[in-house]
Amino acid sequence: MLVASPFLLISMPGGSEWILIILVVLLLFGGRKIPELMRGLGRGIREFNDAKNNVKQEIEEGIKEKDKSSAAQ
């Protein structure tokens, strides 16, 4: 029995699929709503990256503090 990998079932859309997706988005949201949608998406991505960078910075600061305390002992 041949079992398909889930990664083989899901692939990136090609050129014609992207055109179809864009047309469906245009029909659903209309030309006036798309800039608002993209702005909201951009804000969401920016907030996610800011939060990710804050967490990374806090982890690095914690590591530095641990290294300083262990070196002082």
Side-chain angles (χ1 to χ4, degrees), residues 1-30:
M1 186 167 132
L2 183 63
V3 178
S5 171
F7 297 110
L8 294 176
L9 298 175
I10 302 172
S11 64
M12 290 296 294
S16 60
E17 289 90 0
W18 279 114
I19 292 171
L20 181 64
I21 291 168
I22 290 170
L23 287 174
V24 169
V25 168
L26 277 172
L27 287 173
L28 288 176
F29 294 105

Side-chain angles (χ1 to χ4, degrees), residues 33-47:
K33 291 287 184 179
I34 291 177
E36 289 179 32
L37 180 67
M38 292 299 120
R39 251 190 306 276
L41 184 63
R43 283 187 199 119
I45 291 172
R46 191 175 316 116
E47 288 177 12

